[in-house]
Amino acid sequence: MRDKSGGQPAVIVVGGGPAGLTAAITLASAGLATALVGKRPARPDNRTTALFAGSITALETLGVWPLCAAQAAPLKTMRIVDDTGRLWRAPEVKFAADEIDLDAFGYNIENFHLVAALERRAAALPRLRMVEDQVRRVTPADDAVTVTLGSGERLHARLVVAADGRRSLCREAAGIAVEARDYQQAALTVCLTHSRPHHDTSTEFHTPSGPFTLVPLPGLRSSVVWVLDPAQAENFKDLRDDELAVEIEHASHSILGKITIEPGRGLFPLSVMTAKRFGAQRIALVGEAAHVIPPIGAQGLNLGLRDAASIGELAVAAHRDGRDIGGEDVLAAYETMRRADVTSRTLAIDLLNRTLLTDFLPVQGMRGLGLYMIDRIGPLRRTVMREGVAPAAAEPRLMRGEAL
Ligand SMILES: Cc1cc2nc3c(=O)[nH]c(=O)nc-3n(C[C@H](O)[C@H](O)[C@H](O)COP(=O)(O)OP(=O)(O)OC[C@H]3O[C@@H](n4cnc5c(N)ncnc54)[C@H](O)[C@@H]3O)c2cc1C
């Protein structure tokens, strides 16, 4: 395996999802010979991703954002509406980006537009070789990792970036265990057109089965992530378009007017998973290979992009200093950079989700009180907003707009 410049790859990225593509672009655009191994998904991904300000800055710095910005809608206001119908309900909370001096918290974009932009940028990088294949085996050794492809070909590199998703083969090869739990919930996803404008506002209705979220897309379009009991989600998925439109109009209290369902629906069982280590044996885990969190509060891929930017930054620095890019010190620094961010967000989303599902009155009261305080206390609200879009702890350089 040779990269486009004719040398052996220094890094192999496994998995061509958004986290893997971002990692590969980060590494290759900083001059490291990189091979990305992955196959295009058999089914199109009709989900959308809300990317927060730091992720947008990183994608701009990598030259990706200009390739897809026209397909994204700004998120200027985010509303949380308590629709639990319970005794202790929280007040409606509204977060406005201009309160923390931002034009927008971020942008929402359909995954296929984002991935297409990443692929176009990747194709333009001379140090990046795209290998359209499946990885069959990953064999770590002291000085390099061997990656065996479906074709039988073997690649070797001092560092493997594992972006091969939640059932990561690379993670298994590195001997990294996980903590995982399934929720009795599933997310139904669909895009729609509507008669009333969304005013660049995303609205999260908190219901007893989980959040029902409307996220703006350009024009009179929005995406829906509807967290439901799995059986109900399955039923809704099989409804006719006009029947599903009625259910969505009802759940959204008709705030977007008349709804037309677009083709393509997704159903995602909800779970949480965190790898006990983010790197071992020259293999660094990024994106859902490292952590899976429920689609509440739009955190998953934002975390994944920070993973990609962090391992990129550390590997490039090691390379420039003449150190081993897959060495223990690089993996230890990666663990330090990522652990608090991943843990704090996983706990917060898990806690919020549990307080929605519980019938225990004091817990419902605490949730209501928390949201009441956020609504009423300006500095607290602004802190929550800032922490929601970017971690207070050190952000990787790309998220600050610094090229590597
Ligand atoms: C309903 C829903 C809504 C969401 N909304 C948001 C949101 O608004 N904001 C946000 O930040 N996050 C959101 N997320 C989370 C986000 O979608 C995920 O974090 C993201 O898709 C993970 O990307 P990834 O690249 O890590 O993994 P994946 O997209 O799963 O990519 C993994 C890739 O690895 C490949 N692969 C696997 N095994 C191999 C192998 N052996 N060889 C080669 N390739 C392999 C797969 O084919 C795949 O292409 C949402 C998630 C869901 C379910």
Side-chain angles (χ1 to χ4, degrees), residues 14-20 37-39 47-50 133-135 163-165 169 187 189 225 268 287-288 295 298-302:
V14 180
V37 187
K39 272 195 165 167
R47 283 176 295 172
T48 70
T49 299
D133 204 347
Q134 194 78 3
V135 168
D164 50 346
L169 181 75
T189 59
V225 179
F268 299 86
E288 289 203 335
Q299 296 292 331
L301 185 57
N302 284 284

Side-chain angles (χ1 to χ4, degrees), residues 52-239:
F52 292 125
S55 298
I56 302 295
T57 304
L59 293 172
E60 263 165 1
T61 312
L62 291 172
V64 174
W65 193 243
L67 304 176
C68 58
Q71 279 99 33
L75 300 169
K76 295 191 172 178
T77 308
M78 299 173 90
R79 288 168 70 205
I80 298 178
V81 180
D82 188 332
D83 203 11
T84 56
R86 285 176 176 150
L87 184 61
W88 288 9
R89 282 164 60 186
E92 177 180 323
V93 184
K94 221 179 211 181
F95 301 104
D98 58 10
E99 254 196 87
I100 53 169
D101 301 321
L102 290 175
D103 291 337
F105 289 114
Y107 289 80
N108 190 40
I109 183 163
E110 283 158 281
N111 285 12
F112 65 84
H113 285 312
L114 175 64
V115 169
L118 287 162
E119 284 177 346
R120 265 179 71 194
R121 181 69 187 120
L125 291 171
R127 300 291 278 166
L128 178 55
R129 173 74 183 258
M130 304 286 281
V131 184
E132 181 126 10
D133 204 347
Q134 194 78 3
V135 168
R136 228 174 42 203
R137 199 165 47 249
V138 177
T139 318
D142 281 352
D143 57 347
V145 183
T146 303
V147 171
T148 309
L149 308 187
S151 64
E153 192 177 356
R154 289 177 177 191
L155 313 181
H156 308 277
R158 296 183 81 78
L159 174 67
V160 164
V161 174
D164 50 346
R166 53 184 72 194
R167 285 181 208 87
S168 169
L169 181 75
C170 298
R171 187 180 64 222
E172 206 181 305
I176 299 176
V178 301
E179 264 175 38
R181 190 158 36 85
D182 290 333
Y183 293 98
Q184 282 309 304
Q185 291 166 297
L188 174 69
T189 59
V190 69
C191 291
L192 23 110
T193 52
H194 38 80
S195 58
R196 287 197 201 143
H198 49 53
H199 299 295
D200 303 327
T201 298
S202 87
T203 307
E204 193 165 292
F205 292 93
H206 285 181
T207 83
S209 66
F212 166 87
T213 311
L214 295 163
V215 198
L217 286 169
L220 288 171
R221 296 181 67 223
S222 292
S223 61
V224 172
V225 179
W226 197 350
V227 178
L228 292 154
D229 165 82
Q232 199 182 12
E234 197 70 55
N235 285 343
F236 281 0
K237 184 171 181 257
D238 294 335
L239 290 178

Side-chain angles (χ1 to χ4, degrees), residues 6 10 23 33 73 112 161 193 212 220 229 246 252 279 281 289 291 308 312 343 363 365 384 389:
F112 65 84
V161 174
T193 52
F212 166 87
L220 288 171
D229 165 82
V246 169
S252 62
Q281 303 204 59
H291 44 74
T343 305
V363 175
V384 169
V389 295

